[in-house]
Amino acid sequence: MTDENIIISKGLEGIYIADTTLCKIDGANGKLWYRGYPIEVLADKSSYEEVAFLLLYGHLPKKEELKVFTQRLISERDVPDSIADIIRNFTGRTHPNDILRTCVSAISAFDTDMADRSSDANMDRAIKLTAKMPTIVAMIGRYRQGKPFINPSRTLSHSSNFLYMLTGVEPDKESAKLIDLMFILHAEHGSNASTFSTLVTGSTLADVYAAVVAGISTLRGPLHGGADEAALNMMRAIGEPDNTETYIEDALAGKQRIMGFGHRVYKAYDPRAKIVYNYLKSFMQKTTDPKIEKLLEIAIRAEKLMEEKLSKTKGIWPNIDFFSGPLYTAMGIPSELFTPVFACSRVVGWTAHLFEYWENNRLFRPLDHYTGQLDIKYVPIEQR
Ligand code: ACO
């Protein structure tokens, strides 16, 4: 191919990398399906355990299958003592997502047969990571607050147990539904940046842990999973609801990006954000905490202004990360844990994609277009 014919797809925009039966995103119309099921239906009727099973095994579980899967997750909630030591060795300066990535890496040392790359062994690893990551994130959160670790419950659901281990309080019905909803909505989303990096790592036939660590690392940036933390920081910087419009207008005039808005694939309202927004509005009517009330009002006013300014004209709508922050805050989750919580949910999407890709694996090896000089004369260091 001559240089003139080379087409560079920056950010791999518009490039398909694989066939999948995991997830369909209709970006133009703001629609999303997991394994063919509309996200609205799963959000309303399902549980995270059921969605995790659906993503990993390809079908909705029968009663007995769900019981066995749920028990399996519960039995894997504990983490080795050395994970606690690792967490204690980090200072408060280290971001919890970076601590999570290190702990997941360390978990691989407890795999007794890394040479076993069978599908069963890999599924076992995915289930273990799904079960243990919330425990690790809750421990990180407790340690940062100077509080003792809490042992996992054997009765609470996957997501409720996470909240319990973090806050020390068993969530009420409403919080339990809300945290489960957030876990469901974050579980899967096609070939986003973190899933893609999981696949790139996996395509070298590196192991499940390495691929998940790549996913966690990639999720961290504010253009991807870090946007929820950045969006909440912006809401805190706005401070008072009456400052919202001026703050956003000034930011847009200064060509700043409003975190939690925009998406590479959605050019319509992110359906996950729509679901969260509806919860947020009903939550607003019930909350009595003035700090939460303010955050919720800022979020709602910002959404309205952005709709007038950018959504309809440029297709920049809120994404799921915009509304997550106020709700997580209401549930007692500190902002620096938002991205690791996202990772706890997304791990099933990452591993399900990895297993699907491995069925027909091909090493990722794109090309880059060299624009430098060639055959430059080497000058010895003394003469440079
Ligand atoms: N605020 C203001 N303007 C924006 C925003 C935003 N959040 N997002 C995009 N734009 C503008 C760009 O400035 C650009 O304008 P221009 O054409 O006048 O230069 C135009 O929209 C297109 O932007 P691109 O960066 O080309 O779009 P891309 O597809 O690369 O961006 C991205 C997607 C990275 C998510 C972007 O919308 C963004 O930075 N959003 C904020 C971060 C964020 O919320 N990320 C989370 C995404 S969801 C997730 O990963 C879970």
Side-chain angles (χ1 to χ4, degrees):
M1 186 187 278
T2 60
D3 272 14
E4 301 83 67
N5 296 331
I6 288 172
I7 297 167
I8 298 198
S9 303
K10 279 198 85 181
L12 297 184
E13 187 163 355
I15 303 289
Y16 289 83
I17 55 154
D19 286 326
T20 183
T21 62
L22 270 154
C23 173
K24 161 88 181 154
I25 304 171
D26 175 354
N29 296 302
K31 292 196 167 149
L32 170 66
W33 297 259
Y34 291 173
R35 297 251 188 226
Y37 294 92
I39 191 65
E40 294 79 8
V41 176
L42 293 174
D44 187 36
K45 299 194 188 308
S46 194
S47 65
Y48 180 73
E49 286 85 337
E50 195 173 53
V51 166
F53 186 100
L54 171 70
L55 292 170
L56 287 170
Y57 292 98
H59 63 273
L60 279 176
K62 294 201 169 103
K63 255 190 193 163
E64 189 54 30
E65 286 175 319
L66 184 61
K67 199 172 147 201
V68 171
F69 183 67
T70 303
Q71 277 311 317
R72 187 72 223 289
L73 285 172
I74 290 174
S75 71
E76 290 291 351
R77 283 178 181 169
D78 293 303
V79 295
D81 289 344
S82 55
I83 295 298
D85 295 336
I86 291 173
I87 292 169
R88 286 192 196 98
N89 273 313
F90 280 101
T91 67
R93 282 200 313 273
T94 311
H95 193 279
N97 206 69
D98 302 343
I99 307 176
L100 173 66
R101 128 164 89 73
T102 308
C103 291
V104 168
S105 208
I107 291 274
S108 70
F110 295 89
D111 193 310
T112 47
D113 191 4
M114 284 291 280
D116 184 354
R117 298 297 183 88
S118 62
S119 306
D120 285 351
N122 283 331
M123 183 62 86
D124 199 60
R125 292 174 181 121
I127 292 171
K128 279 187 176 154
L129 287 176
T130 305
K132 292 182 194 313
M133 281 169 59
T135 306
I136 296 170
V137 174
M139 288 168 76
I140 295 169
R142 299 284 297 177
Y143 184 67
R144 289 168 74 87
Q145 292 170 9
K147 292 178 181 163
F149 300 140
I150 293 176
N151 289 330
S153 150
R154 303 283 162 215
T155 52
L156 290 173
S157 75
H158 187 75
S159 55
S160 285
N161 173 59
F162 163 70
L163 264 194
Y164 163 68
M165 282 190 295
L166 177 67
T167 63
V169 181
E170 288 193 15
D172 59 23
K173 218 172 147 204
E174 192 168 28
S175 299
K177 171 67 196 161
L178 201 51
I179 188 68
D180 209 52
L181 175 83
M182 300 307 273
F183 266 65
I184 291 172
L185 296 180
H186 284 92
E188 160 57 14
H189 210 228
S191 286
N192 54 80
S194 57
T195 302
F196 180 56
S197 67
T198 303
L199 293 183
V200 172
T201 304
S203 81
T204 70
L205 300 186
D207 59 82
V208 173
Y209 304 99
V212 170
V213 168
I216 297 172
S217 311
T218 309
L219 192 67
R220 164 93 148 93
L223 296 187
H224 186 20
D228 46 10
E229 184 182 348
L232 189 81
N233 288 342
M234 182 192 77
M235 291 174 204
R236 288 202 172 121
I238 290 173
E240 292 298 324
D242 282 346
N243 298 339
T244 309
E245 289 75 14
T246 316
Y247 186 101
I248 302 261
E249 275 169 7
D250 287 353
L252 291 176
K255 298 270 172 226
Q256 281 178 44
R257 285 185 181 222
I258 309 300
M259 292 296 149
F261 279 83
H263 199 275
R264 177 63 61 77
V265 183
Y266 290 120
K267 298 305 165 199
Y269 217 114
D270 175 343
R272 304 164 302 168
K274 223 181 236 176
I275 295 168
V276 181
Y277 183 52
N278 287 336
Y279 271 86
L280 188 123
K281 279 196 290 189
S282 74
F283 206 82
M284 196 169 169
Q285 283 153 11
K286 290 175 209 152
T287 184
T288 48
D289 181 338
K291 273 196 205 146
I292 303 296
E293 257 176 277
K294 269 187 194 174
L295 282 177
L296 296 173
E297 194 182 335
I298 290 169
I300 286 171
R301 282 171 72 159
E303 189 258 8
K304 191 165 176 287
L305 182 78
M306 284 293 281
E307 190 173 330
E308 285 160 20
K309 294 255 160 204
L310 280 184
S311 304
K312 286 181 179 151
T313 49
K314 282 184 106 178
I316 298 166
W317 296 88
N319 58 58
I320 187 167
D321 284 340
F322 190 66
F323 300 119
S324 307
L327 289 176
Y328 281 148
T329 307
M331 285 185 266
I333 304 176
S335 57
E336 70 273 16
L337 290 191
F338 294 173
T339 313
V341 172
F342 188 160
C344 289
S345 160
R346 184 57 60 85
V347 64
V348 291
W350 290 332
T351 47
H353 271 281
L354 184 60
F355 301 158
E356 190 184 53
Y357 193 77
W358 272 343
E359 279 169 25
N360 200 2
N361 189 62
R362 187 158 170 84
L363 176 74
F364 278 103
R365 199 345 181 157
L367 298 169
D368 41 15
H369 178 218
Y370 181 71
T371 58
Q373 292 176 297
L374 292 174
D375 297 330
I376 303 173
K377 188 168 179 279
Y378 180 86
V379 180
I381 195 161
E382 302 77 24
Q383 293 165 29
R384 279 174 217 162

